[in-house]
Amino acid sequence: MDKIINIKNLNKIYGTTIKTQVLFDINLSFDSGSFNSIIGASGSGKSSLLNILGTLDKPTSGELYINGKLTTNMNKNELAELRNETIGFIFQFHHLIPEFTALENVLIPHMIKNKGRIPKDIKEKAEDLMNLVGLSKVKNNLATNMSGGQQQRAAIARSLINNPSIVLADEPTGNLDSESTETVYKMLRDINEKFKTTFIIVTHDKKIAEMTDRIIEIKDGKINLDILR
Amino acid sequence: MSLPFKIALRFLKSNIGQTILIIIGISIGVSVQVFIGSLIQGLQKSLLDTTIGSSPHITILSTNDNKLIGDWKEKVNIIEDFSDIKTISVSSDSPSFINFNNKTESVLIRGFLPDKANNIYKIENNIYEGKFPSEEYQVLVGKELSDSLGLFIGDKIEIITPQREMIDFTISGFYDLKIASINRSWIITNLETSQKVFDFGDFVTSIEIQVNEVFDADLIASNIISSLNSSEIDVQNWKDQNQQLLSGLNGQSVSSIMIQVFVMISVLLGIASVLAISVVQRSKQIGILKAMGIKDKSSSMIFIYQGLLLGLAGALVGVFLGLGLSFMFSKFAVNPDGTPVVPLYLDYSFIALSAIIATAASVIAALIPARKTSKLNPIEVIRNG
Ligand SMILES: Nc1ncnc2c1ncn2[C@@H]1O[C@H](COP(=O)(O)OP(=O)(O)OP(=O)(O)O)[C@@H](O)[C@H]1O
Ligand SMILES: [Mg+2]
């Protein structure tokens, strides 16, 4: 299988005067279309790794290849385009842009790609995604008028609008009850099977991790376990 | 509609209180500009009008002892071919004494070609009784002189020429040119009468000119000097004789520009600081947009568009506010006779320029926050809360 993401000898050190190394010499690759989870204790470096995988942060040393292309020497515009077209994000803390409605938020990645235009089929696709995450009733609410769980589900819909080949999710179900958590995972799984989208999901929930094909455990900035099932 | 424009509009809409506040700020600045500008320009126009509106801008006199200018028709023809000449009038003037009821006054007899002189002095409009001399030896007398001598139409007054000849003139009417010194000293008759009485033959004593662009009077005057090329004439223009007025006008213009510049600067600083704060307020949104792949240029454009929209709205409201203010001023700040204290001059190109400058300034003020936005790293916002 193709390696859609490949990292080599990756290190991350925060700070310039007081240096804290949070990732140590990581070598890791992900198969295209795979469904992965990253687990680990709080502060172990899961978000740090995910942000680097998403090209939002730069590694202190090491190389990151996405679709076989080295990203570490791309400029800001090239990275922005790469993110927009190939990566869908579900963030740990921030979800939606509060000035826009849920549906508009879902459409924003497409508007970035398509100079603000929204063709009819994309609008329909956004509505379908809203149905999929169970938000058709509140799709025209401003983000501020939705619950934390609803915002998180809208963020999931948004991550999928541009048909990304990779979805990076940081605690995507952190605000959901166990029942909704399970439905959301089933949904992500469906998408993974239908569109062959690669998923990398950070979670601290062992039960959830066990539903994925591969579990990577990070401990103190190093890969402690890498279980393929 | 591009995405940055959509986002800009939405940001402005969602924080409508702040938006209105900035628009009010800009519009107050613009309205002050429009009002002060119109006021100062009106003031200058009316000052110029009262000073030189009804007097010659360029005067040609003789340097000969007898004060006479020959070949005046030829000279007038030459000057007429200049561009920018509004009107040319010739006169035959001489100081004299008049005698009425044993009272003697020293006066200036002015002989005009009535049509031409009217263009400059508006005599016809200012005859409040009687009419312009239509026959020889008829004269118009000014208000102050007629009051002090107790004159009536048809009265005969005796003129004593510098050559000590005595001639009777008949009063055909009274004028009031609104300038007491003129009303007291000028006795107006027609050119032929004056030339005959003072033995001037076909000579005149002055050629008086009004031009369209009053501030070019000195240039036109020097052109006239070179094309007439005569050592027997002296060409004067109003600017030489009104240096104080000119420097006053200049000072006014400079202080008006200063006021406008400072008003604009304070408005600018206001917009720049509010927009700078709004970048901080929106850093989370910008971070999310950047993570989703918006390019730095587009994210900067969000703030440029905000500046543009605020500037346009502020300029528009400000122009209306300024016009309203000007209108109120000319309506309520009036003299006892109902005319405005200062007649405002609405120069539409000046108003449009103020609006354009305010809009451009708002865009420039938005450049600072726009730059800040492009430097914002999404990771700063995405990481933690
Ligand atoms: N900007 C930063 N500067 C310095 N240290 C940082 C910075 N960001 C994160 N860290 C540190 O790096 C370590 C890893 O943080 P990270 O956010 O990756 O952990 P995590 O595994 O996602 O934890 P959690 O499960 O709580 O989200 C932590 O010790 C954290 O304090
Ligand atoms: Mg984390």
Side-chain angles (χ1 to χ4, degrees):
Chain A
M1 249 188 174
D2 298 341
K3 303 289 182 203
I4 189 158
I5 298 178
N6 202 348
I7 49 182
K8 284 186 182 160
N9 308 323
L10 183 138
N11 287 284
K12 179 67 187 177
I13 301 171
Y14 284 119
T16 45
T17 42
I18 308 164
K19 296 183 177 171
T20 14
Q21 181 154 9
V22 296
L23 295 173
F24 297 85
D25 224 18
I26 306 243
N27 285 286
L28 199 59
S29 57
F30 294 92
D31 289 336
S32 178
S34 60
F35 199 72
N36 314 275
S37 62
I38 298 177
I39 59 169
S42 178
S44 56
K46 306 182 296 292
S47 296
S48 301
L49 178 62
L50 202 72
N51 289 336
I52 291 172
L53 291 179
T55 75
L56 293 172
D57 205 358
K58 282 199 183 308
T60 311
S61 68
E63 289 165 352
L64 166 68
Y65 295 87
I66 291 178
N67 275 328
K69 275 188 219 123
L70 182 65
T71 61
T72 21
N73 55 9
M74 288 184 179
N75 67 27
K76 279 170 97 185
N77 277 345
E78 287 168 334
L79 288 176
E81 219 163 282
L82 176 82
R83 283 200 297 274
N84 180 246
E85 284 171 9
T86 55
I87 305 174
F89 286 98
I90 305 165
F91 305 117
Q92 183 173 8
F93 299 102
H94 293 297
H95 307 294
L96 305 181
I97 296 177
E99 287 84 358
F100 288 87
T101 67
L103 189 65
E104 287 167 336
N105 264 282
V106 170
L107 287 164
I108 281 177
H110 186 269
M111 289 196 275
I112 291 174
K113 185 172 152 185
N114 202 17
K115 296 194 167 69
R117 283 185 293 269
I118 307 163
K120 216 170 148 225
D121 58 318
I122 298 294
K123 180 96 193 288
E124 277 163 15
K125 183 174 174 196
E127 307 249 3
D128 287 348
L129 285 168
M130 289 309 261
N131 283 338
L132 196 69
V133 295
L135 287 180
S136 42
K137 278 206 186 111
V138 292
K139 66 181 180 208
N140 290 324
N141 282 20
L142 281 183
T144 41
N145 297 336
M146 300 200 306
S147 73
Q150 287 174 327
Q151 291 189 40
Q152 219 161 24
R153 280 185 278 160
I156 294 170
R158 183 184 60 192
S159 73
L160 300 170
I161 189 78
N162 276 355
N163 290 329
S165 42
I166 305 163
V167 170
L168 301 175
D170 200 346
E171 307 275 8
T173 53
N175 289 321
L176 303 183
D177 56 76
S178 59
E179 200 179 324
S180 326
T181 301
E182 210 152 309
T183 9
V184 165
Y185 271 96
K186 285 215 178 80
M187 201 181 79
L188 297 181
R189 190 87 224 197
D190 285 348
I191 293 160
N192 163 250
E193 271 159 16
K194 221 155 95 194
F195 301 109
K196 301 282 169 256
T197 309
T198 309
F199 278 83
I200 301 172
I201 302 163
V202 168
T203 178
H204 58 260
D205 189 337
K206 279 244 157 60
K207 240 175 61 197
I208 295 301
E210 269 154 22
M211 293 161 61
T212 63
D213 299 338
R214 181 183 178 191
I215 304 173
I216 297 161
E217 192 191 16
I218 308 272
K219 194 178 173 189
D220 299 331
K222 293 174 186 130
I223 296 171
N224 188 43
L225 269 176
D226 192 343
I227 309 165
L228 196 64
R229 298 172 326 138
Chain B
M1 237 189 334
S2 76
L3 183 62
F5 186 81
K6 266 184 200 166
I7 298 172
L9 210 58
R10 194 59 69 89
F11 280 1
L12 291 175
K13 242 168 58 191
S14 77
N15 206 341
I16 193 77
Q18 195 182 61
T19 302
I20 289 175
L21 217 62
I22 305 182
I23 291 177
I24 290 175
I26 301 173
S27 58
I28 287 176
V30 172
S31 67
V32 167
Q33 275 201 319
V34 168
F35 177 64
I36 301 249
S38 304
L39 190 71
I40 299 279
Q41 289 186 48
L43 203 66
Q44 299 201 337
K45 279 238 180 295
S46 75
L47 213 61
L48 264 185
D49 204 48
T50 44
T51 316
I52 56 163
S54 298
S55 64
H57 305 151
I58 298 169
T59 306
I60 301 174
L61 297 171
S62 165
T63 51
N64 294 337
D65 288 342
N66 62 9
K67 306 276 178 231
L68 295 181
I69 302 172
D71 298 329
W72 61 271
K73 282 181 180 138
E74 199 179 294
K75 292 188 170 73
V76 166
N77 275 337
I78 292 173
I79 298 166
E80 259 170 355
D81 285 343
F82 278 67
S83 61
D84 208 41
I85 301 290
K86 196 160 130 195
T87 191
I88 305 175
S89 165
V90 295
S91 69
S92 147
D93 308 339
S94 175
S96 301
F97 288 100
I98 62 162
N99 213 340
F100 183 77
N101 270 352
N102 293 327
K103 277 191 257 181
T104 303
E105 299 273 353
S106 126
V107 297
L108 180 71
I109 309 281
R110 303 211 63 185
F112 288 128
L113 293 171
D115 291 346
K116 304 285 185 186
N118 253 330
N119 289 337
I120 297 182
Y121 297 106
K122 285 91 189 168
I123 301 166
E124 202 72 61
N125 296 340
N126 289 307
I127 295 175
Y128 63 93
E129 207 185 330
K131 56 180 176 46
F132 200 90
S134 52
E135 291 167 29
E136 290 195 333
Y137 301 105
Q138 285 189 337
V139 289
L140 277 178
V141 178
K143 188 169 186 297
E144 270 77 1
L145 185 62
S146 103
D147 287 352
S148 77
L149 293 179
L151 298 176
F152 291 97
I153 289 179
D155 279 351
K156 288 205 185 320
I157 51 176
E158 189 181 47
I159 305 278
I160 303 154
T161 70
Q163 289 77 34
R164 310 230 167 257
E165 284 177 74
M166 286 174 228
I167 297 148
D168 276 354
F169 279 7
T170 308
I171 293 171
S172 70
F174 300 110
Y175 70 82
D176 179 8
L177 291 181
K178 308 282 188 313
I179 299 167
S181 59
I182 289 184
N183 288 350
R184 196 170 293 124
S185 62
W186 287 11
I187 300 244
I188 297 171
T189 183
N190 52 43
L191 188 67
E192 297 82 10
T193 302
S194 172
Q195 284 173 334
K196 208 181 266 179
V197 168
F198 299 111
D199 267 334
F200 287 165
D202 195 26
F203 287 76
V204 296
T205 57
S206 73
I207 301 173
E208 298 176 324
I209 300 159
Q210 276 198 336
V211 295
N212 292 317
E213 283 301 322
V214 294
F215 287 104
D216 291 343
D218 48 348
L219 292 178
I220 298 167
S222 59
N223 284 344
I224 290 174
I225 293 173
S226 54
S227 46
L228 291 186
N229 192 24
S230 157
S231 60
E232 297 185 347
I233 56 160
D234 177 28
V235 180
Q236 300 172 346
N237 73 80
W238 74 274
K239 286 172 95 173
D240 292 340
Q241 292 150 355
N242 291 277
Q243 288 297 345
Q244 259 176 328
L245 172 71
L246 274 174
S247 65
L249 291 179
N250 250 332
Q252 253 180 12
S253 301
V254 169
S255 59
S256 144
I257 289 170
M258 292 291 273
I259 291 172
Q260 299 187 27
V261 166
F262 282 112
V263 166
M264 216 61 252
I265 287 177
S266 62
V267 167
L268 265 184
L269 291 178
I271 308 170
S273 61
V274 176
L275 283 179
I277 292 166
S278 91
V279 173
V280 178
Q281 286 174 336
R282 315 280 190 194
S283 56
K284 175 183 147 179
Q285 287 86 325
I286 301 296
I288 295 174
L289 286 167
K290 284 199 174 183
M292 291 188 304
I294 203 167
K295 291 185 181 160
D296 290 349
K297 197 176 139 231
S298 302
S299 66
S300 301
M301 282 310 287
I302 296 173
F303 288 87
I304 304 277
Y305 279 132
Q306 288 192 63
L308 179 71
L309 289 167
L310 290 170
L312 279 176
L316 204 70
V317 175
V319 165
F320 279 106
L321 221 62
L323 289 176
L325 210 62
S326 308
F327 175 75
M328 303 249 284
F329 182 82
S330 60
K331 188 117 186 173
F332 296 114
V334 290
N335 294 318
D337 67 352
T339 56
V341 177
V342 177
L344 289 176
Y345 178 72
L346 294 182
D347 178 348
Y348 290 101
S349 55
F350 162 76
I351 292 171
L353 189 72
S354 300
I356 291 169
I357 288 177
T359 309
S362 307
V363 172
I364 291 168
L367 286 177
I368 301 159
R371 251 177 72 84
K372 239 170 119 181
T373 313
S374 76
K375 289 208 177 119
L376 188 129
N377 189 344
I379 193 67
E380 313 285 343
V381 203
I382 300 306
R383 185 187 293 142
N384 305 326

